[in-house]
Coordinates of all heavy atoms in Angstrom, one line a residue:
K221 N 108.5 146.6 109.4 CA 109.1 147.8 109.9 C 108.6 148.0 111.4 O 109.4 148.2 112.3 CB 108.9 149.0 109.0 CG 109.8 150.2 109.3 CD 109.0 151.2 110.1 CE 109.8 152.4 110.5 NZ 109.1 153.4 111.3
I222 N 107.3 148.1 111.5 CA 106.7 148.4 112.8 C 107.0 147.2 113.8 O 107.1 147.4 115.0 CB 105.2 148.7 112.8 CG1 104.7 149.0 114.1 CG2 104.4 147.7 112.1 CD1 103.2 149.5 114.2
T223 N 107.2 146.0 113.3 CA 107.5 144.9 114.2 C 108.9 145.1 114.8 O 109.1 144.8 116.0 CB 107.4 143.5 113.5 OG1 106.0 143.4 112.9 CG2 107.6 142.4 114.4
I224 N 109.8 145.5 114.0 CA 111.2 145.8 114.5 C 111.1 147.0 115.5 O 111.7 147.0 116.5 CB 112.2 146.0 113.4 CG1 112.3 144.8 112.4 CG2 113.6 146.4 114.0 CD1 112.6 143.5 113.0
D225 N 110.4 148.0 115.1 CA 110.2 149.2 116.0 C 109.6 148.7 117.3 O 110.0 149.3 118.4 CB 109.2 150.2 115.3 CG 109.9 151.0 114.2 OD1 111.1 150.9 114.0 OD2 109.1 151.7 113.5
S226 N 108.7 147.8 117.3 CA 108.1 147.3 118.6 C 109.2 146.6 119.4 O 109.2 146.7 120.6 CB 107.0 146.3 118.3 OG 106.0 147.0 117.6
A227 N 110.1 145.9 118.8 CA 111.1 145.1 119.5 C 112.2 146.0 120.1 O 112.7 145.8 121.2 CB 111.8 144.1 118.6
T228 N 112.4 147.2 119.4 CA 113.4 148.1 120.0 C 112.8 149.2 120.9 O 113.5 149.9 121.6 CB 114.1 149.0 118.9 OG1 113.1 149.7 118.2 CG2 114.9 148.1 117.9
L229 N 111.5 149.2 121.0 CA 110.7 150.2 121.7 C 110.7 151.5 121.0 O 110.1 152.5 121.5 CB 111.0 150.4 123.2 CG 110.6 149.3 124.1 CD1 110.5 149.9 125.6 CD2 109.3 148.6 123.8
M230 N 111.3 151.6 119.7 CA 111.1 152.8 119.0 C 109.7 153.1 118.6 O 109.2 154.2 118.5 CB 112.0 152.8 117.7 CG 111.9 154.1 116.9 SD 112.3 155.6 117.8 CE 114.0 155.8 117.5
N231 N 108.9 152.0 118.4 CA 107.5 152.2 118.1 C 106.8 153.0 119.2 O 106.1 153.9 119.0 CB 106.8 150.8 117.9 CG 105.4 151.0 117.5 OD1 105.0 151.8 116.6 ND2 104.5 150.3 118.2
K232 N 107.2 152.7 120.5 CA 106.6 153.4 121.6 C 107.1 154.9 121.6 O 106.3 155.8 121.9 CB 106.9 152.7 122.9 CG 105.8 152.8 123.9 CD 104.4 152.5 123.5 CE 104.2 151.2 122.8 NZ 102.8 151.0 122.3
G233 N 108.3 155.0 121.2 CA 108.9 156.4 121.1 C 108.2 157.2 120.1 O 107.8 158.4 120.3
L234 N 108.0 156.6 118.9 CA 107.2 157.3 117.8 C 105.8 157.6 118.3 O 105.3 158.7 118.0 CB 107.2 156.5 116.6 CG 108.5 156.1 115.9 CD1 108.3 155.2 114.7 CD2 109.4 157.3 115.6
E235 N 105.3 156.7 119.1 CA 103.9 156.9 119.6 C 103.8 158.1 120.7 O 102.8 158.7 120.8 CB 103.3 155.6 120.2 CG 103.1 154.6 119.1 CD 102.5 153.3 119.5 OE1 102.4 153.1 120.7 OE2 102.2 152.4 118.7
V236 N 104.9 158.2 121.4 CA 105.0 159.4 122.4 C 104.9 160.7 121.6 O 104.1 161.6 121.9 CB 106.3 159.3 123.2 CG1 106.5 160.6 124.0 CG2 106.2 158.1 124.2
I237 N 105.6 160.7 120.5 CA 105.6 162.0 119.7 C 104.2 162.1 119.0 O 103.7 163.2 118.9 CB 106.8 161.9 118.6 CG1 108.1 161.8 119.3 CG2 106.7 163.2 117.7 CD1 109.3 161.5 118.5
E238 N 103.7 161.0 118.5 CA 102.4 161.0 117.9 C 101.3 161.5 118.9 O 100.5 162.4 118.6 CB 102.0 159.6 117.5 CG 100.7 159.4 116.7 CD 100.4 157.9 116.4 OE1 101.1 157.0 116.9 OE2 99.5 157.7 115.6
A239 N 101.4 161.1 120.2 CA 100.5 161.5 121.2 C 100.6 163.0 121.5 O 99.6 163.7 121.7 CB 100.7 160.7 122.5
H240 N 101.8 163.5 121.4 CA 102.1 164.9 121.7 C 101.2 165.8 120.7 O 100.6 166.7 121.0 CB 103.6 165.2 121.5 CG 103.9 166.6 121.3 ND1 103.8 167.6 122.3 CD2 104.3 167.3 120.2 CE1 104.2 168.8 121.8 NE2 104.5 168.6 120.6
W241 N 101.3 165.4 119.4 CA 100.6 166.2 118.4 C 99.1 165.9 118.4 O 98.3 166.9 118.2 CB 101.2 165.9 117.0 CG 102.5 166.4 116.8 CD1 103.7 165.7 116.8 CD2 102.9 167.8 116.8 NE1 104.8 166.6 116.7 CE2 104.3 167.8 116.7 CE3 102.2 169.0 116.9 CZ2 105.0 169.0 116.6 CZ3 102.9 170.2 116.8 CH2 104.3 170.2 116.7
L242 N 98.7 164.7 118.5 CA 97.3 164.4 118.5 C 96.5 165.0 119.6 O 95.3 165.5 119.4 CB 97.0 162.9 118.5 CG 97.3 162.1 117.2 CD1 97.2 160.6 117.5 CD2 96.3 162.4 116.2
F243 N 97.1 165.0 120.8 CA 96.3 165.3 122.0 C 96.8 166.6 122.7 O 96.5 166.9 123.8 CB 96.3 164.2 123.0 CG 95.8 162.9 122.4 CD1 96.6 161.8 122.4 CD2 94.6 162.8 121.8 CE1 96.2 160.6 121.7 CE2 94.1 161.6 121.2 CZ 95.0 160.5 121.1
N244 N 97.7 167.3 121.9 CA 98.2 168.6 122.5 C 98.8 168.3 123.9 O 98.6 169.1 124.8 CB 97.0 169.5 122.6 CG 97.5 171.0 122.6 OD1 98.6 171.2 122.5 ND2 96.5 171.9 122.8
A245 N 99.6 167.2 124.0 CA 100.1 166.8 125.3 C 101.6 167.2 125.4 O 102.4 167.0 124.5 CB 100.0 165.2 125.4
L246 N 101.9 167.7 126.5 CA 103.3 168.0 126.8 C 104.1 166.7 127.0 O 103.5 165.7 127.5 CB 103.4 168.9 128.0 CG 102.6 170.2 128.0 CD1 102.6 170.9 129.3 CD2 103.3 171.1 126.9
P247 N 105.4 166.7 126.8 CA 106.2 165.5 127.0 C 106.0 164.9 128.4 O 105.9 163.7 128.6 CB 107.6 165.9 126.7 CG 107.5 167.1 125.8 CD 106.2 167.8 126.2
E248 N 105.9 165.8 129.4 CA 105.8 165.3 130.8 C 104.4 164.8 131.1 O 104.1 164.2 132.2 CB 106.2 166.4 131.8 CG 105.6 167.7 131.7 CD 106.2 168.7 130.7 OE1 106.9 168.2 129.8 OE2 106.0 169.9 130.8
Q249 N 103.5 165.0 130.1 CA 102.1 164.5 130.3 C 101.9 163.1 129.6 O 100.8 162.6 129.6 CB 101.1 165.5 129.8 CG 100.9 166.8 130.6 CD 100.0 167.7 129.9 OE1 100.1 168.0 128.7 NE2 99.0 168.3 130.6
I250 N 103.0 162.6 129.1 CA 102.9 161.3 128.3 C 103.8 160.3 129.0 O 105.0 160.5 129.0 CB 103.4 161.5 126.9 CG1 102.6 162.7 126.2 CG2 103.1 160.2 126.1 CD1 103.3 163.1 124.9
D251 N 103.2 159.3 129.6 CA 104.0 158.2 130.2 C 103.8 156.9 129.5 O 102.8 156.7 128.9 CB 103.5 158.0 131.7 CG 104.1 159.1 132.6 OD1 105.1 159.7 132.2 OD2 103.5 159.4 133.7
V252 N 104.8 156.1 129.6 CA 104.8 154.7 129.0 C 104.8 153.7 130.1 O 105.6 153.8 131.0 CB 106.0 154.5 128.0 CG1 106.0 153.1 127.5 CG2 105.9 155.5 126.8
V253 N 103.9 152.7 130.0 CA 103.9 151.6 131.0 C 103.9 150.3 130.2 O 103.1 150.1 129.2 CB 102.7 151.8 131.9 CG1 101.4 151.8 131.2 CG2 102.7 150.6 133.0
V254 N 104.8 149.4 130.6 CA 104.9 148.1 129.9 C 103.8 147.2 130.5 O 103.6 147.1 131.7 CB 106.3 147.5 130.1 CG1 106.3 146.1 129.5 CG2 107.4 148.3 129.5
H255 N 103.0 146.7 129.5 CA 101.9 145.8 129.9 C 101.8 144.7 128.9 O 101.3 144.8 127.8 CB 100.6 146.7 129.8 CG 99.3 146.0 129.7 ND1 99.0 145.0 130.6 CD2 98.2 146.1 128.9 CE1 97.8 144.5 130.3 NE2 97.3 145.1 129.3
P256 N 102.5 143.6 129.3 CA 102.8 142.5 128.3 C 101.5 141.8 127.7 O 101.6 141.3 126.6 CB 103.5 141.4 129.2 CG 103.8 142.0 130.5 CD 103.0 143.3 130.6
Q257 N 100.4 141.9 128.3 CA 99.2 141.2 127.8 C 98.5 142.0 126.6 O 97.7 141.4 125.9 CB 98.1 141.0 128.9 CG 98.5 140.0 129.9 CD 99.3 140.6 131.1 OE1 99.6 141.8 131.1 NE2 99.6 139.7 132.1
S258 N 98.9 143.3 126.5 CA 98.3 144.1 125.4 C 96.7 144.0 125.4 O 96.1 144.0 124.4 CB 98.8 143.7 124.0 OG 100.1 143.9 123.9
V259 N 96.2 144.0 126.6 CA 94.7 144.0 126.7 C 94.2 145.4 127.0 O 93.2 145.8 126.4 CB 94.3 143.0 127.9 CG1 92.9 143.3 128.4 CG2 94.4 141.6 127.4
I260 N 94.9 146.2 127.8 CA 94.6 147.6 128.0 C 95.4 148.3 126.9 O 96.6 148.2 126.8 CB 95.1 148.1 129.3 CG1 94.2 147.5 130.4 CG2 94.9 149.7 129.4 CD1 94.5 148.0 131.8
H261 N 94.7 149.0 126.0 CA 95.4 149.6 124.8 C 95.9 151.0 125.1 O 96.7 151.5 124.3 CB 94.4 149.6 123.6 CG 94.1 148.2 123.2 ND1 92.9 147.8 122.9 CD2 94.9 147.0 123.3 CE1 92.9 146.4 122.6 NE2 94.1 146.0 122.9
S262 N 95.5 151.6 126.2 CA 96.1 152.8 126.7 C 95.1 153.4 127.7 O 94.0 152.9 127.8 CB 96.5 153.8 125.7 OG 97.8 153.5 125.2
M263 N 95.5 154.5 128.4 CA 94.7 155.1 129.5 C 94.8 156.6 129.6 O 95.8 157.1 129.1 CB 95.2 154.5 130.8 CG 95.0 153.0 130.9 SD 95.8 152.3 132.4 CE 97.4 151.7 131.8
V264 N 93.8 157.2 130.2 CA 93.9 158.6 130.4 C 93.6 158.8 131.9 O 92.7 158.3 132.5 CB 92.7 159.3 129.7 CG1 92.7 160.8 130.0 CG2 92.9 159.2 128.2
E265 N 94.5 159.5 132.6 CA 94.3 159.8 134.0 C 93.8 161.3 134.2 O 94.4 162.2 133.6 CB 95.7 159.7 134.8 CG 95.5 159.9 136.3 CD 96.7 159.8 137.1 OE1 97.7 159.2 136.6 OE2 96.7 160.3 138.2
Y266 N 92.7 161.4 134.9 CA 92.1 162.7 135.2 C 92.7 163.2 136.6 O 93.2 162.5 137.4 CB 90.6 162.6 135.2 CG 90.1 162.4 133.8 CD1 90.0 161.1 133.2 CD2 89.7 163.5 133.0 CE1 89.6 161.0 131.9 CE2 89.2 163.3 131.7 CZ 89.2 162.1 131.1 OH 88.7 161.9 129.9
I267 N 92.5 164.5 136.8 CA 93.0 165.2 138.0 C 92.4 164.7 139.3 O 92.9 164.9 140.4 CB 93.0 166.7 137.9 CG1 91.6 167.2 137.5 CG2 94.0 167.2 137.0 CD1 91.4 168.7 137.6
D268 N 91.2 164.1 139.1 CA 90.5 163.6 140.4 C 91.0 162.2 140.8 O 90.4 161.6 141.7 CB 89.0 163.6 140.2 CG 88.5 162.7 139.0 OD1 89.3 162.0 138.4 OD2 87.3 162.7 138.7
G269 N 91.9 161.6 140.0 CA 92.4 160.3 140.4 C 91.8 159.2 139.5 O 92.3 158.1 139.6
S270 N 90.8 159.5 138.7 CA 90.2 158.5 137.8 C 91.2 158.2 136.7 O 91.8 159.1 136.1 CB 88.9 159.0 137.2 OG 88.0 159.3 138.1
I271 N 91.3 156.9 136.4 CA 92.0 156.5 135.2 C 91.0 155.7 134.3 O 90.4 154.7 134.7 CB 93.2 155.5 135.5 CG1 94.2 156.3 136.3 CG2 93.8 155.0 134.2 CD1 95.5 155.6 136.5
L272 N 90.8 156.2 133.1 CA 89.9 155.5 132.1 C 90.8 154.8 131.1 O 91.7 155.3 130.6 CB 89.0 156.5 131.3 CG 88.1 157.4 132.2 CD1 87.0 158.1 131.2 CD2 87.3 156.6 133.2
A273 N 90.4 153.5 130.9 CA 91.2 152.7 130.0 C 90.3 152.1 128.9 O 89.1 152.0 129.1 CB 91.8 151.5 130.8
Q274 N 90.8 151.8 127.8 CA 90.1 151.0 126.8 C 90.7 149.7 126.7 O 91.9 149.5 126.5 CB 90.1 151.8 125.4 CG 89.2 151.1 124.3 CD 90.0 150.3 123.3 OE1 91.3 150.3 123.4 NE2 89.3 149.6 122.4
L275 N 89.9 148.6 126.8 CA 90.4 147.2 126.7 C 89.8 146.5 125.5 O 88.7 146.9 125.0 CB 89.9 146.5 128.0 CG 90.6 146.8 129.3 CD1 90.2 148.1 129.9 CD2 90.3 145.7 130.3
G276 N 90.4 145.5 125.1 CA 89.9 144.6 124.0 C 90.9 143.6 123.6 O 92.1 143.7 124.0
N277 N 90.5 142.7 122.7 CA 91.5 141.8 122.2 C 92.5 142.6 121.3 O 92.1 143.6 120.7 CB 90.8 140.8 121.3 CG 90.1 139.7 122.1 OD1 90.7 139.3 123.1 ND2 88.9 139.3 121.8
P278 N 93.7 142.2 121.2 CA 94.7 142.9 120.4 C 94.4 142.7 118.9 O 95.0 141.7 118.3 CB 96.1 142.5 120.8 CG 95.8 141.2 121.5 CD 94.4 141.1 122.0
D279 N 93.5 143.4 118.3 CA 93.1 143.2 116.9 C 92.8 144.6 116.3 O 91.9 145.3 116.8 CB 91.9 142.3 116.8 CG 91.5 141.9 115.4 OD1 91.6 142.7 114.5 OD2 91.1 140.7 115.2
M280 N 93.5 145.0 115.3 CA 93.4 146.3 114.8 C 92.1 146.6 114.1 O 91.8 147.8 113.8 CB 94.6 146.6 113.8 CG 95.9 146.7 114.4 SD 96.0 148.0 115.7 CE 95.8 149.5 114.7
R281 N 91.3 145.6 113.9 CA 90.0 145.9 113.3 C 89.1 146.7 114.2 O 88.1 147.3 113.8 CB 89.3 144.5 112.9 CG 90.0 143.9 111.7 CD 89.4 142.6 111.3 NE 89.5 141.6 112.5 CZ 88.9 140.4 112.5 NH1 88.2 140.0 111.5 NH2 89.0 139.7 113.6
T282 N 89.3 146.6 115.5 CA 88.5 147.5 116.5 C 88.8 149.0 116.2 O 87.8 149.7 115.9 CB 88.8 147.1 117.9 OG1 88.4 145.7 118.1 CG2 88.1 148.0 118.9

Side-chain angles (χ1 to χ4, degrees):
K221 192 259 178 183
I222 182 174
T223 304
I224 302 301
D225 285 348
S226 298
T228 61
L229 285 204
M230 179 55 93
N231 183 48
K232 214 46 56 182
L234 301 179
E235 290 181 357
V236 167
I237 301 170
E238 187 183 7
H240 163 71
W241 289 111
L242 281 172
F243 307 120
N244 204 2
L246 301 169
E248 55 273 22
Q249 291 175 311
I250 310 167
D251 281 338
V252 172
V253 56
V254 175
H255 164 49
Q257 290 89 358
S258 296
V259 161
I260 295 183
H261 297 139
S262 278
M263 298 171 258
V264 175
E265 181 179 344
Y266 287 83
I267 50 174
D268 61 4
S270 298
I271 294 184
L272 299 195
Q274 186 259 353
L275 287 73
N277 285 319
D279 188 321
M280 290 305 292
R281 290 176 301 171
T282 297

